[in-house]
Amino acid sequence: MEQYKLFIDGEFVDAASGETFESIDPGSGMPIAQVAKAGAADAEAAIDAARRAFDSGIWSGLTPAQRADKLNAFADQITQQTLRMAITESMDSGQIIGLAKYWGMLGSQMLRNFGHYAATRFPWQEEIPYAGNVFAPGRDYIRREPIGVCVGIIPWNFPMSMAFWKIGQAIAMGNTIVLKPASSTPLGALIIAEAAKAAGIPKGVVNVIAGPGGDIGHTLCTHPSVDKIAFTGSTEVGRQIMKMAADTVKKVTLELGGKSANIICEDADIDLAVEGALFGTFFHQGQVCESGTRVLVASKIYDEFLDKMKGRAEQLRVGYQLDPASQQGPLVNATQLATVERYVRLGQEEGAQVVAGGRRAEVAGLDGGFYYKPTIFGGVKNSMRVAQEEIFGPVVCVIKYDGEEEAVALANDSIYGLAGGVFSRSNARAERIARQIKTGTMWVNNYHSFGDFCPFGGYKQSGVGRELGHAGLAEYTQIKRMHFPASADHKSNFTMKLFSDDPKVPFVQYITPTLVLAGHGSLSSIYREVVRLGSRRAMILTDAGVRKAGLIEPVQEALAEFYAGIFDDISQDTDLATVDAAVALAREKGIDIIVSVGGGSVIDTGKAVCVTLKNGGKADDHVALMRLSEPQIPHIVIPTTSGTGSEVTNVAVIKSGSAGRKVYIIDNYITPNTAILDPQFTLTLPPGLTVTTALDAMTHAVESLTSTMSNPICDGHALQAIRLIRQNLPTAVADGRDEQARGNLQIAATTAGWAFNIAQVGLAHAMAHTLGMLCNVPHGAACGIVLPAVMRYNVDHATDKLALAAQALGVSIGALAPRDAAMAAADAVEQLMKACGHPMRLKEVGVTEEALAMAPFHAIADAAALFNARPVSDPNEIAELYKQVF
Ligand SMILES: NC(=O)c1ccc[n+]([C@@H]2O[C@H](COP(=O)([O-])OP(=O)(O)OC[C@H]3O[C@@H](n4cnc5c(N)ncnc54)[C@H](O)[C@@H]3O)[C@@H](O)[C@H]2O)c1
């Protein structure tokens, strides 16, 4: 008789106890091999070896490509053993030789496939383009690493196949493994271990120990050195394994039992369906977890189907597994035979009718074999135990149903969900049914078809996790997120700031993707810009006021044949519905570039249109911060007011009806490609709007200068913007046609835009957004009215910065104490506003006292308040500010 030993740490060894057991040929009942019987000590030795091998890096430290080379060598050794493997597997497990002969070929292919996938396709490292956290700029990526020491525990039905699955996946992904085959069928895995050794897989990487699960299972599932357990077997044992693994919180994947439904529709090709049901059930004597053991048949064809299936079942040839003529071999052992007999008796007691089989099969000269006839139960109710419990033998329940809905309900009425089938001539119908079944695999007009890259696993009590394919291989890895902050400086760290009394964030990031063309006649560059951006069909976005001011015709003319449409229905403080309407028109006209001509409302609409046009769907789908990963539809902007700065910022601010407030799209990819600052476009801006929009730019400049995020690049832009507004606004108000003043105000708006793109804004914006939302106050006017009050509120938190602002506003601060100099900045803004006719009180712009009741709460919750120099948290303080300017 052949002798098999345990394979531990690269050597074939006897069990520590010296004990052995016999492996039986189930076709004859005769022993065929003597096998070393592992106990707890051997399990520990194998785990220790696997741990040492893993930790040494001899395998886990190789590149996936280096491991793939070794797996190819392993596969070659398997190929050399194909004949021996076929005969041994057949004799050991009872598989007919017609099936067992394939394992050498399939196993070697699997090793090659897993190695190759791991080396060439598996995403071991993946950049995360945007972390989804605006407060954590930097680099983030995912690294996948081997999990460690894996334990594979496998059943007796497909000993070699299961050993290839567990060993192949574990080692392709860089792990080490201790494999425990079933004690009824230990030989296949030990032959695979021989091949691993011959192929030079380093010692300790693969270990195989045979023995009773009851004895060594406990050690394997509780040992602290084991990181993962991959178990295939019964649901009952799976539950125990999960419990045992719980104490050391091992990763566990379980492939458990099933009672899968094979649904035969009334339009099925009946001969195909009969063969599918037959193969789906009696393949390997029904000792297959994913078998379709509940055949659900449409009532219209039930009788004909049952009749045909009975005929075919009775034709199946039961015989010795090595006889090439056999289609059914023996069951694996006497215990399994007894289980099948018990269930067949039970089914009869429950009222099911034995249509075929129902008793042992005799095979001449092999009285000791465990043979049973393919057995069909008709008239089965799904509630019967034979239809609910896994029998794991050649017994099928045929159940009648009326209508698809009942078929789906019956299929899902099970604690299991491993697999299933649908037979129908209509793929659409089959798919409709298959999608409704709660199960891990559905075959249409087929059964038992596997692929190395097709995931396998269970819903419900059929298991946890998946095997095979990407999903299966990923189960053998850990995910590590790697993060590097954009600057390694605790003061730039937003999160650590929570523990700091100094809210200043000196983080510097300066992105200016916008090409700015400024000056008289700069509109003439627009044609060249469209060409440069690779576009041909431009749509102008604007609003009625801008159109009425006669600013659109020159743009149309300059665009010449690129002009392809116009959308002008944009109200002040635009909303998502407006964006959707503009997108609809752009889609209709095949637009590939947007030209926004107007103030912030138009430009922000344009940004959202570019995103929606590029990515599809509705504007609301794209309300997100830092989510885009590629350039959007090109966008040229021509600002026509004295200042939102939107032409160079990465923000679009848009009202959302459903959110009841303004929402933001913030992303570097929405920053416009080109800004044309042609003063001709602002000459028509009435004095009122000239002032309020300029005060929007002023607010950007002051708030970014004083924000917790300000830095020297921002400060330079902000101070220059403040200076330009102070110097040019009175002139532009007095003489709207003064081109130089107009041009300087445009440059101020753009410069202030850059400043707040770097450093964000603050409380004045939070309060202004709220006024826009609750009382429809135009954004610029609201900003201006609250700005001086907010500057005074911040005076002790941004004293130096406000003093610099005072200087830029023309105040001579030399003789002033710092705090007085800072206060002087607020006074100077107020004077400028008064001199230019800006509204000074909220009641002047239609705000009522009642409307202000909720305003402080909204303002505190507005994101802009986060960056204010002085922390904003007390609604009473904010209410007081609103009162001051009411
Ligand atoms: N994305 C950003 O970076 C950013 C920055 C600040 C503000 N905003 C947003 O911008 C919007 C406010 O923009 P806005 O203040 O520019 O106002 P706006 O775009 O709403 O325009 C105001 C009015 O001015 C008229 N107008 C514009 N130019 C004209 C001209 N040359 N001649 C005659 N009339 C003209 C328009 O027809 C409109 O009626 C707000 O929704 C605000 O939230 C966005």
Side-chain angles (χ1 to χ4, degrees):
M1 200 165 17
E2 279 200 280
Q3 308 284 327
Y4 284 83
K5 295 187 176 186
L6 310 177
F7 185 60
I8 298 175
D9 206 14
E11 301 299 334
F12 284 94
V13 295
D14 290 322
S17 65
E19 284 185 65
T20 60
F21 67 100
E22 286 177 340
S23 195
I24 306 290
D25 167 5
S28 65
M30 304 290 285
I32 51 169
Q34 203 169 36
V35 185
K37 182 178 169 187
D42 305 296
E44 278 185 22
I47 292 167
D48 289 345
R51 182 82 261 164
R52 275 194 308 278
F54 184 82
D55 292 345
S56 76
I58 194 169
W59 187 252
S60 57
L62 298 184
T63 64
Q66 288 169 324
R67 288 195 290 261
D69 282 347
K70 294 277 185 193
L71 282 158
N72 289 347
F74 189 0
D76 288 342
Q77 290 299 322
I78 296 294
T79 307
Q80 289 181 23
Q81 302 273 349
T82 300
L83 180 61
R84 177 182 168 214
M85 289 177 71
I87 293 169
T88 311
E89 180 79 336
S90 179
M91 288 188 75
D92 200 30
S93 73
Q95 278 174 32
I96 54 171
I97 189 70
L99 166 65
K101 70 182 178 187
Y102 290 116
W103 296 125
M105 191 262 278
L106 294 175
S108 59
Q109 193 54 39
M110 177 174 276
L111 295 176
R112 286 176 178 276
N113 276 343
F114 288 164
H116 183 261
Y117 187 86
T120 61
R121 309 284 287 274
F122 190 78
W124 289 100
Q125 192 162 309
E126 253 182 302
E127 284 304 303
I128 305 175
Y130 290 111
N133 176 351
V134 285
F135 295 113
R139 179 187 176 209
D140 286 274
Y141 72 90
I142 290 170
R143 190 180 139 77
R144 292 187 177 79
E145 298 177 350
I147 223 166
V149 174
C150 302
V151 157
I153 302 179
I154 58 174
W156 43 254
N157 54 348
F158 293 101
M160 280 196 183
S161 168
M162 290 292 105
F164 282 123
W165 284 29
K166 304 291 191 231
I167 294 175
Q169 294 179 106
I171 71 173
M173 304 316 279
N175 303 282
T176 59
I177 182 165
V178 177
L179 183 80
K180 194 203 88 61
S183 45
S184 304
T185 55
L187 306 186
L190 289 163
I191 295 175
I192 293 172
E194 283 179 33
K197 185 175 163 90
I201 302 293
K203 67 177 192 155
V205 173
V206 174
N207 304 272
V208 179
I209 52 171
D215 293 357
I216 51 180
H218 183 264
T219 308
L220 293 175
C221 297
T222 58
H223 197 293
S225 289
V226 172
D227 299 300
K228 172 188 162 101
I229 300 174
F231 170 74
T232 299
S234 71
T235 294
E236 188 41 46
V237 175
R239 288 188 192 107
Q240 291 166 19
I241 285 180
M242 216 170 179
K243 283 179 193 157
M244 286 193 281
D247 277 344
T248 44
V249 195
K250 299 188 193 312
K251 312 292 171 268
V252 179
T253 50
L254 302 173
E255 297 294 347
L256 308 178
K259 195 77 191 180
S260 298
N262 195 355
I263 301 169
I264 315 298
C265 300
E266 62 186 45
D267 69 346
D269 172 331
I270 198 144
D271 292 330
L272 172 65
V274 166
E275 290 305 316
L278 201 76
F279 179 64
T281 308
F282 299 129
F283 174 57
H284 191 30
Q285 295 78 258
Q287 302 167 118
V288 184
C289 49
E290 82 274 3
S291 283
T293 45
R294 290 184 297 148
V295 178
L296 312 183
V297 184
S299 57
K300 208 166 149 195
I301 58 165
Y302 178 83
D303 291 339
E304 183 190 358
F305 180 90
L306 196 57
D307 208 41
K308 285 194 162 175
M309 192 173 173
K310 168 185 162 70
R312 287 290 291 127
E314 286 172 350
Q315 281 170 358
L316 290 179
R317 292 186 296 271
V318 183
Y320 188 55
Q321 67 267 30
L322 280 176
D323 177 349
S326 297
Q327 293 168 323
Q328 293 278 287
L331 298 185
V332 71
N333 55 29
T335 316
Q336 203 53 27
L337 184 62
T339 303
V340 169
E341 288 185 310
R342 183 159 48 78
Y343 269 110
V344 170
R345 271 198 308 279
L346 177 69
Q348 287 168 308
E349 285 159 22
E350 286 181 302
Q353 292 101 46
V354 173
V355 175
R359 58 190 170 81
R360 290 190 187 199
E362 287 89 43
V363 176
L366 292 169
D367 295 345
F370 313 119
Y371 300 95
Y372 201 86
K373 280 184 177 294
T375 298
I376 301 175
F377 272 128
V380 177
K381 300 246 175 314
N382 196 55
S383 55
M384 291 177 180
R385 280 183 59 193
V386 281
Q388 288 292 328
E389 296 174 19
E390 187 173 45
I391 302 173
F392 229 64
V395 182
V396 61
C397 297
V398 182
I399 302 171
K400 197 190 283 189
Y401 72 83
D402 278 305
E404 272 176 43
E405 214 173 291
E406 190 184 9
V408 169
L410 288 171
N412 284 332
D413 179 14
S414 166
I415 62 164
Y416 297 112
L418 191 56
V422 194
F423 283 79
S424 165
R425 279 197 168 89
S426 156
N427 273 356
R429 171 185 228 181
E431 216 171 333
R432 185 171 65 230
I433 294 174
R435 285 180 175 170
Q436 297 177 73
I437 311 302
K438 295 182 173 55
T439 193
T441 296
M442 278 302 281
W443 285 289
V444 173
N445 293 327
N446 202 356
Y447 217 93
H448 289 309
S449 158
F450 277 76
D452 294 349
F453 296 117
C454 304
F456 180 70
Y459 279 39
K460 300 192 264 184
Q461 295 188 34
S462 287
V464 177
R466 292 293 179 271
E467 300 244 11
L468 308 184
H470 178 89
L473 293 170
E475 301 269 13
Y476 282 87
T477 60
Q478 284 281 21
I479 287 178
K480 179 177 285 172
R481 176 234 179 158
M482 298 282 281
H483 168 80
F484 300 84
S487 61
D489 156 24
H490 72 275
K491 291 188 172 161
S492 296
N493 187 310
F494 286 93
T495 328
M496 291 181 191
K497 283 264 149 219
L498 288 173
F499 284 3
S500 163
D501 290 330
D502 170 15
K504 193 83 193 64
V505 183
F507 174 70
V508 180
Q509 188 179 35
Y510 185 47
I511 303 174
T512 53
T514 306
L515 175 79
V516 177
L517 296 157
H520 177 89
S522 48
L523 173 68
S524 63
S525 301
I526 195 167
Y527 190 95
R528 187 200 63 205
E529 281 303 289
V530 175
V531 173
R532 182 180 72 85
L533 293 165
S535 302
R536 288 292 176 273
R537 294 183 61 79
M539 182 163 95
I540 295 176
L541 287 189
T542 191
D543 63 29
V546 173
R547 198 169 189 180
K548 206 165 134 221
L551 300 176
I552 296 309
E553 288 77 11
V555 182
Q556 285 170 337
E557 279 168 20
L559 283 170
E561 75 272 17
F562 293 152
Y563 171 72
I566 183 163
F567 182 91
D568 72 354
D569 191 12
I570 298 174
S571 57
Q572 282 197 31
D573 296 341
T574 182
D575 57 17
L576 294 173
T578 301
V579 176
D580 288 334
V583 167
L585 184 67
R587 285 183 182 144
E588 189 189 310
K589 298 204 173 283
I591 295 304
D592 62 9
I593 185 167
I594 299 295
V595 175
S596 296
V597 186
S601 304
V602 171
I603 298 175
D604 284 6
T605 306
K607 289 172 174 175
V609 167
C610 290
V611 175
T612 312
L613 205 50
K614 164 98 183 186
N615 299 288
K618 299 193 303 299
D620 191 43
D621 303 331
H622 306 292
V623 172
L625 312 186
M626 301 295 190
R627 196 172 66 187
L628 301 172
S629 54
E630 58 187 2
Q632 303 299 297
I633 299 293
H635 191 193
I636 297 176
V637 297
I638 306 178
T640 65
T641 66
S642 332
T644 64
S646 179
E647 62 274 11
V648 289
T649 68
N650 63 3
V651 189
V653 192
I654 301 180
K655 266 200 249 172
S656 158
S658 55
R661 56 167 58 225
K662 285 186 171 183
V663 292
Y664 301 87
I665 303 174
I666 301 181
D667 207 297
N668 294 328
Y669 285 111
I670 69 166
T671 308
N673 303 69
T674 305
I676 295 176
L677 311 184
D678 191 329
Q680 296 273 321
F681 282 84
T682 60
L683 300 181
T684 51
L685 192 67
L689 280 169
T690 302
V691 187
T692 52
T693 55
L695 259 293
D696 190 5
M698 175 69 87
T699 311
H700 293 150
V702 171
E703 294 218 286
S704 53
L705 178 71
T706 55
S707 110
T708 57
M709 294 266 293
S710 70
N711 62 52
I713 302 178
C714 159
D715 296 354
H717 287 313
L719 287 166
Q720 174 65 352
I722 294 171
R723 216 171 276 130
L724 285 173
I725 296 167
R726 195 261 305 176
Q727 287 166 352
N728 293 282
L729 182 58
T731 316
V733 172
D735 175 9
R737 306 211 61 88
D738 185 317
E739 247 194 62
Q740 199 183 344
R742 288 294 195 184
N744 282 335
L745 285 180
Q746 284 184 303
I747 289 171
T750 297
T751 316
W754 274 323
F756 92 81
N757 212 24
I758 300 170
Q760 313 303 327
V761 282
L763 177 58
H765 269 81
M767 292 175 70
H769 289 159
T770 304
L771 293 166
M773 182 181 73
L774 297 178
C775 316
N776 283 320
V777 183
H779 181 70
C783 279
I785 293 171
V786 299
L787 179 62
V790 170
M791 289 167 81
R792 291 183 187 114
Y793 174 82
N794 284 335
V795 70
D796 293 320
H797 293 78
T799 316
D800 296 348
K801 288 295 182 65
L802 287 170
L804 288 173
Q807 270 184 316
L809 285 157
V811 179
S812 159
I813 62 167
L816 297 176
R819 194 173 193 279
D820 294 338
M823 288 302 255
D827 299 341
V829 169
E830 238 166 34
Q831 278 159 22
L832 182 69
M833 288 165 65
K834 279 185 188 148
C836 298
H838 193 286
M840 302 306 289
R841 297 271 168 239
L842 291 177
K843 59 178 161 214
E844 291 171 46
V845 290
V847 176
T848 61
E849 217 164 351
E850 305 79 72
L852 281 182
M854 290 306 288
F857 300 96
H858 288 293
I860 284 178
D862 191 283
L866 276 174
F867 308 99
N868 193 62
R870 173 170 168 181
V872 175
S873 50
D874 182 351
N876 294 320
E877 285 177 1
I878 312 306
E880 179 55 33
L881 288 180
Y882 275 122
K883 215 154 86 195
Q884 279 172 26
V885 296
F886 178 70

